[in-house]
Structure formats: structure tokens, C-alpha cells
Amino acid sequence: MRLGTLVIALALTAPVATAGKATLEISTTADRASDRVMGTRAAVFRACFQKEMNRNPSLREHASRLELHVSVDKGNPHVPVFDEKASVNDDNVKSCVALTIKRLTFPKTATELDYTLTFTP
């Protein structure tokens, strides 16, 4: 298995009272093709966190980690399962990430994928 990391730091239009831009690091043991699929939506994952960080000041205090497992059937992902040890306990962030993943199409060879999304305010 290969461990890959992709770091994304993009500026998005945010509400007037912003806390600055968050960065996102995606870590995985998945194959490169699956990494590329997740990487295409990295800005959306980051926006999920940024939106809630702007609403909830406690998310600005430290880096937040979201670990998830995705089962894939013929390229179509099932709803991701989030690890209970994750430091992101915000249901809005989890819902946004889950909805984004559900809309992705993975390679047909992908079956079980594990990702760690680390958001840094």
C-alpha cells in the first residue's frame, strides 16, 4: 500500500467575518487514480470546513482531523463511514463531506478506501 498526501490551500469567497483561510491535507493509502478523484474535490472539502469555521469559532482553535472509510461498488461510492476518533465533531462538516464523496465516481477497480482529511485553520 502506498501513502499519499495532497495539500490544498485555496482562497474562497467567504462571509464578511472570516477567520482566514483553512488548509486541507488529504492522506490515504488508496491508489493514485482514487487519489486524483478525491483531489478534484479538495477545494469543496476545504469549503465545507471553512463555512463552519466561520460560524463556529471553536473550529478555529486547532487543526481538525476527519478519518473516513468509503466502500466503492463499480465506481460508485457508498455513504462514507466516519471514524469516531476524529477530532471534527461538527455534523455540518461531516454531512457536507459525505455528500461531496457520494457524488464522486471512483475507478471501477477501487473497492475499499481510507482517507484522513486534516483541516488547519
Side-chain angles (χ1 to χ4, degrees):
M1 296 185 128
R2 184 181 70 73
L3 179 63
T5 299
L6 172 68
V7 177
I8 303 291
L10 301 173
L12 295 179
T13 304
V16 176
T18 64
K21 63 181 179 182
T23 59
L24 167 64
E25 179 181 309
I26 301 175
S27 302
T28 182
T29 55
D31 60 274
R32 277 197 173 149
S34 297
D35 285 355
R36 280 193 295 275
V37 171
M38 285 290 282
T40 64
R41 305 313 295 163
V44 177
F45 297 136
R46 194 190 67 73
C48 292
F49 182 77
Q50 182 75 48
K51 179 179 175 183
E52 293 309 313
M53 184 178 73
N54 291 341
R55 290 183 190 172
N56 181 354
S58 68
L59 292 175
R60 298 179 198 147
E61 295 172 6
H62 52 78
S64 299
R65 191 179 75 253
L66 188 60
E67 296 179 15
L68 56 107
H69 176 81
V70 182
S71 295
V72 180
D73 181 29
K74 298 178 183 170
N76 301 312
H78 297 277
V79 175
V81 176
F82 295 98
D83 187 324
E84 295 299 319
K85 299 177 203 171
S87 62
V88 174
N89 293 319
D90 188 291
D91 289 337
N92 292 330
V93 174
K94 289 179 180 179
S95 295
C96 181
V97 168
L99 182 62
T100 302
I101 289 174
K102 191 74 176 117
R103 292 177 177 162
L104 297 174
T105 301
F106 287 92
K108 295 200 184 308
T109 55
T111 56
E112 303 293 325
L113 306 171
D114 292 304
Y115 289 95
T116 300
L117 309 180
T118 305
F119 302 97
T120 306

